[in-house]
């Protein structure tokens, strides 16, 4: 059984600011904002939601199929995916474009400011969700606007249950479009802020949102996550990380564990518990794809 992961492949340039963003920004001067941050540390990592989710799934022994687009600079990313044993059949190169690029700056309180160049990701809709018996599960994660809309329709038409994970792409859609995503989806996964925005735009609360899907997950970082099923909430406590080094990609690591559990037919609470555990391991490593899951985690999965 394989899971089709619709989303971005991107290069992440991650910079560390040793101060606090809040102390550098004057709230009453936002209309003339002009700030500069000294970032002594800088690294470039493989990232993008599809890549990060696929990495987590593969670490857990799953069969991820990332469906994404890369640019003329993406050969190294293809090689990396293949070296990890991740099938790249649905990764397409777009000539004349760069691979999506995220520039992420993190302060000492783990607040983040991100600039994102979509590049080849804007052509992600050219690849269609196939009807194949081995593809039994999918996810719509942040991607090009057209791709997210079309792939959701294609999953539904193919009878493939999928997770709707709007993430940073949520602001691209109005309430009518978001309600349509929810009608098509089997599960919805959001963080606390995204959950509030999603409900606000549709005009419902979390309880009602959960009645429209099989399961709703609201992640809350170190506090764990809330699971909503048919209007009822269950809290799954977080796991204390050995160190808090870099939050980049934690949500994607969590979603990789969610997909792995759903592949196995687990109840949502067990999927969430594994997600909390994988997220805690990820936050102790720099970059979204540089952590390693030990045998104990893999065996538990």
């Amino acid at each position: 059984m394989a899971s089709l992961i619709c989303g971005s492949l991107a290069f992440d340039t991650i910079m560390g600011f040793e101060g606090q963003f809040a102390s550098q920004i004057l709230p009453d001067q936002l209309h003339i904002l002009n700030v500069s941050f000294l970032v002594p540390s800088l690294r470039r990592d493989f990232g993008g939601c599809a890549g990060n989710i696929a990495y987590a799934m593969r670490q857990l022994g799953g069969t991820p199929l990332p469906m994404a687009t890369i640019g003329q600079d993406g050969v190294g990313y293809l090689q990396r995916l293949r070296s990890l044993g991740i099938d790249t059949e649905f990764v397409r190169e777009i000539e004349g474009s760069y691979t999506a690029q995220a520039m992420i700056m993190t302060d000492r309180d783990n607040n983040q400011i991100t600039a994102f160049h979509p590049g080849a990701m804007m052509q992600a809709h050219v690849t269609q969700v196939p009807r194949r018996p081995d593809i039994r599960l999918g996810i719509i994660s942040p991607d090009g606007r057209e791709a997210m809309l079309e792939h959701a329709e294609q999953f539904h038409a193919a009878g493939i249950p999928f997770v709707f994970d709007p993430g940073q792409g949520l602001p691209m859609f109005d309430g009518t479009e978001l309600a349509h995503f929810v009608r098509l989806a089997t599960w919805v996964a959001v963080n606390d802020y995204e959950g509030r925005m999603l409900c606000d735009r549709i005009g419902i609360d979390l309880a009602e949102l959960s009645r429209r899907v099989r399961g709703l997950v609201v992640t809350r970082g170190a506090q764990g996550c809330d699971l909503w099923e048919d209007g009822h909430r269950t809290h799954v406590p977080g796991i204390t990380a050995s160190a808090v080094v870099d939050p980049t990609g934690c949500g994607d690591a969590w979603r990789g564990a969610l997909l792995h559990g759903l592949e196995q037919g687990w109840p949502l609470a067990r999927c969430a518990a594994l997600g909390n555990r994988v997220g805690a391991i990820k936050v102790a490593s720099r970059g979204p794809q540089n952590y390693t899951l030990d045998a104990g985690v893999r065996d538990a999965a």
Side-chain angles (χ1 to χ4, degrees), residues 271-284:
C271 299
L274 179 63
N276 290 347
R277 189 172 181 184
V278 174
I281 293 170
K282 158 57 215 82
V283 79

Side-chain angles (χ1 to χ4, degrees), residues 9-11 44-47 51-52 54-56 58-59 74-88 286-292:
L9 294 178
F11 293 115
R44 194 168 190 247
D45 284 306
F46 297 100
N52 297 344
Y55 180 84
R58 187 61 185 151
Q59 287 266 308
V75 174
Y77 208 145
L78 277 177
Q79 293 173 342
R80 170 178 171 76
L81 291 173
R82 290 166 182 163
S83 72
L84 294 168
I86 296 174
D87 193 313
T88 60
R286 294 199 182 279
Q289 296 180 25
N290 298 318
Y291 61 96
T292 301

Side-chain angles (χ1 to χ4, degrees), residues 199-269:
C199 287
D200 182 68
R201 293 204 172 180
I202 297 178
I204 57 177
D205 59 16
L206 290 171
E208 175 57 28
L209 178 60
S210 73
R211 295 187 183 99
R212 301 186 182 188
V213 290
R214 190 181 303 173
L216 165 66
V217 177
V218 181
T219 58
R220 300 182 180 277
Q223 284 69 51
C225 60
D226 291 338
L227 309 180
W228 289 85
E229 296 175 281
D230 196 25
H232 301 286
R233 182 180 71 90
T234 303
H235 182 70
V236 180
I239 293 177
T240 302
S242 60
V244 179
V245 176
D246 179 11
T248 309
C250 283
D252 295 331
W254 198 102
R255 282 149 179 78
L258 170 67
L259 283 180
H260 178 76
L262 293 175
E263 274 192 349
Q264 314 307 309
W266 293 355
L268 203 53

Side-chain angles (χ1 to χ4, degrees), residues 163-188:
V163 178
F164 176 49
D165 167 30
Q168 306 96 316
L170 197 155
M172 296 190 294
F173 305 102
D174 62 25
T176 300
E177 291 166 327
L178 291 169
H180 187 60
F181 274 119
V182 171
R183 280 195 296 272
L184 299 177
T186 312
W187 303 274
V188 172

